[in-house]
Amino acid sequence: AGTWHTLALQTNGTVVAWGDSTDGKLSVPNTLQSVVAVAAGGNHSLALDAEGRVTGWGRNTSGQATAPVFRAPVTAIAAGGDYSLALLADGTVSAWGTNYNGQLNIPSGLQNVRAIAAGWSHAIALLDGGTVVCWGNNRAGQCVVPAGLKNVVAVTAGDSHTVALRADGTVVAWGSNGDGQLRI
């Protein structure tokens, strides 16, 4: 789900979108085929196909819906406010779009990434060893990974908070709790 719209990936590899139709974010390209993942951002949408190609649509004022040429096949995608992320098959991350809070400043040497997530203006990487790296906006502490956090198997992010699922089934959340988003 994005800020104002929602995407669904159907079992036949097609995409359905609903919600606010401004900026073309609901205008799913009719050329999309064999989609394996979708990501909805602030006002843009992304799709990843079985060949590892990324297609974007919707607001593109900062290039967030225009995927660059990647040096390796893409295995996962994430969409933030006005930026996008791709996880490459070589375990590295690519980012494009707006960089107003450093969300495109991928930490030097970041590798062995297993999963990615995009908050409004912060980005998260889950590493092979079950640890988490975060960069970008940290005004609410959403990029201050709790000390000793390990054995993480999944990550996600909201506007100003980050959530990690550990292998034992427990959940850890940090960042803004203004609306109770950290209450588990």
Side-chain angles (χ1 to χ4, degrees):
T3 304
W4 308 107
H5 69 297
T6 304
L7 300 175
L9 175 58
Q10 300 186 103
T11 56
N12 66 358
T14 61
V15 178
V16 177
W18 65 94
D20 177 18
S21 63
T22 59
D23 299 313
K25 57 188 163 280
L26 302 186
S27 301
V28 179
N30 59 10
T31 56
L32 279 181
Q33 297 179 30
S34 304
V35 175
V36 296
V38 292
N43 286 292
H44 71 290
S45 302
L46 300 174
L48 173 64
D49 71 18
E51 301 292 320
R53 294 179 297 238
V54 177
T55 301
W57 64 96
R59 183 185 293 169
N60 197 31
T61 54
S62 301
Q64 66 268 32
T66 303
V69 175
F70 302 105
R71 66 179 177 279
V74 175
T75 60
I77 52 175
D82 288 323
Y83 75 102
S84 301
L85 299 173
L87 174 58
L88 307 183
D90 64 4
T92 62
V93 176
S94 181
W96 63 98
T98 296
N99 195 33
Y100 48 84
N101 284 297
Q103 62 270 38
L104 304 187
N105 299 342
I106 299 165
S108 178
L110 184 66
Q111 56 189 358
N112 301 318
V113 177
R114 178 190 320 170
I116 53 175
W120 182 259
S121 59
H122 72 291
I124 302 93
L126 171 60
L127 305 183
D128 277 341
T131 59
V132 176
V133 175
C134 185
W135 64 96
N137 184 346
N138 191 38
R139 281 179 281 200
Q142 65 267 40
C143 277
V144 179
V145 178
L149 181 64
K150 58 185 178 179
N151 300 319
V152 175
V153 295
V155 290
T156 192
D159 180 17
S160 297
H161 68 287
T162 306
V163 181
L165 172 65
R166 293 190 291 205
D168 65 3
T170 59
V171 175
V172 177
W174 61 97
S176 174
N177 193 33
D179 292 311
Q181 57 269 51
L182 304 185
R183 291 186 202 129
I184 300 172

